[in-house]
Amino acid sequence: MRVLVVNVNTTRSMTEAIGARAREIASPGTTVVALTPAFGAESVEGNYESYLAAVAVMETVRAYAEPFDAVVQAGYGEHGREGLQELLDVPVVDITEAAASTAMFLGRSYSVVTTLDRTVPLIEDRLLVAGLHTRCASVRASGLGVLDLDRDPDAAVRAVVDEAERAVRDDRAEVIVLGCGGMSGLDAAVRARVDVPVVDGVTAAITVAEGLVRQGLRTSKVRTFAPPRSKSFVDWPPARRDGSGVRTTR
C-alpha cells in the first residue's frame, strides 16, 4: 500500500517531520510518500493561504507520477479535501476530520488546541461542514505561529499543554486534539502532562486511510464527488511539476 501525505505549506522541514511521524504509525507494508507543494505559503494561517494551499495540494497530487492507494491532506482546518475527492477515486483523508472522528470514539466531547487565534474560525467552520461540531467543546489557540512549532518544539508543548489543561478544566473536554499538522509528534509529550487522551491528526489520518484501503473502499462518484466535467480552462494550469520535481509547462 502506498499513501501520499501532502503538507499544505512549502516548509520542507515540516514535510519531513510529518512524513517521519506518518511512517512511525504506518503498518508494515505501507509506504508513506511525503510531498511538499511546489508553490504556496511557508505556513498556512488564514483563508487566503488556505485556498492557495488547496490548489497547490491538488496540483501536487495530480503531478505525482506513480500509483498510490490513498491520500492524506496534512493541514488542520484547510480547504481542498473536496476537490481532491473529485479528482481521485482512492480514499482522501483530511487530518481535521480524521482527528475529530477519532476523538469521538474516546470521549463524549473533545477540544482542539491549534496555533493562532485567527485560525480558530476556519477550524470551527471545517468541523461544521464535516458534521463534527456538535461534540466539539471548544477550539483554543496556543498563540504560536505554525513556524514556531518547527523552531521550538519544547515551547510548543508548553503552550499546547496550557490550553489543553484549560479546555479540560473550563470547557469540560474529555479528549484533546492537536489542531495543526506541524504539531504532529507532540501528542506523547502533551499526553504525559494532561490526563486525557490526546489525538494527533497525522497519526489518526494514516490509520483511517489504511483501514479504508484494506476494506477495499473508494470515494463515491455518483454525485457530490463525481469527476470534474470535461471543459476548457483558460491558462490553467500554467505550469506543472513532473515526478522528479522539475518544473515543466504544457
Side-chain angles (χ1 to χ4, degrees):
M1 183 189 310
R2 178 178 293 172
V3 180
L4 305 186
V5 179
V6 191
N7 185 8
V8 299
N9 65 47
T10 57
T11 300
R12 293 189 179 276
S13 60
M14 198 164 291
T15 303
E16 292 167 4
I18 290 169
R21 179 58 172 168
R23 293 183 188 99
E24 286 176 7
I25 195 64
S27 302
T30 296
T31 298
V32 172
V33 179
L35 300 176
T36 305
F39 59 91
E42 62 180 351
S43 62
V44 179
E45 295 165 322
N47 280 290
Y48 173 75
E49 293 159 0
S50 180
Y51 281 111
L52 180 60
V55 175
V57 167
M58 286 187 283
E59 288 304 297
T60 298
V61 172
R62 275 166 37 95
Y64 186 76
E66 301 298 322
F68 54 90
D69 301 290
V71 175
V72 168
Q73 180 174 297
Y76 206 97
E78 311 308 338
H79 303 89
R81 185 263 299 163
E82 298 90 343
L84 279 173
Q85 287 185 291
E86 288 187 5
L87 292 172
L88 307 171
D89 62 357
V90 302
V92 177
V93 182
D94 171 62
I95 66 170
T96 313
E97 297 169 13
S101 58
T102 298
M104 290 164 60
F105 286 107
L106 304 174
R108 181 178 180 274
S109 61
Y110 67 92
S111 284
V112 178
V113 179
T114 188
T115 51
L116 300 178
D117 181 68
R118 65 173 296 159
T119 67
V120 170
L122 277 73
I123 291 172
E124 291 174 338
D125 288 349
R126 295 304 292 174
L127 294 173
L128 180 63
V129 168
L132 298 166
H133 64 292
T134 57
R135 287 170 61 183
C136 180
S138 60
V139 180
R140 286 181 164 269
S142 65
L144 295 171
V146 171
L147 297 181
D148 295 329
L149 303 172
D150 206 30
R151 295 188 188 108
D152 194 342
D154 291 337
V157 169
R158 291 193 297 270
V160 171
V161 166
D162 286 347
E163 289 305 317
E165 290 176 338
R166 293 186 181 98
V168 173
R169 182 185 65 240
D170 300 337
D171 307 329
R172 310 299 291 173
E174 299 177 2
V175 182
I176 296 298
V177 169
L178 301 181
C180 177
M183 292 179 180
S184 185
L186 301 184
D187 51 313
V190 176
R191 192 179 302 121
R193 296 175 57 181
V194 183
D195 193 24
V196 297
V198 178
V199 180
D200 165 33
V202 173
T203 297
I206 286 290
T207 304
V208 170
E210 287 186 321
L212 294 172
V213 173
R214 289 198 183 96
Q215 293 177 75
L217 298 173
R218 303 178 79 82
T219 299
S220 175
K221 294 295 174 180
V222 298
R223 192 181 187 194
T224 306
F225 303 123
R229 296 182 65 193
S230 179
K231 61 185 68 175
S232 296
F233 286 77
V234 176
D235 195 27
W236 182 260
R240 292 285 300 277
R241 285 178 178 260
D242 63 21
S244 66
V246 177
R247 191 170 177 82
T248 60
T249 58
R250 68 172 190 180

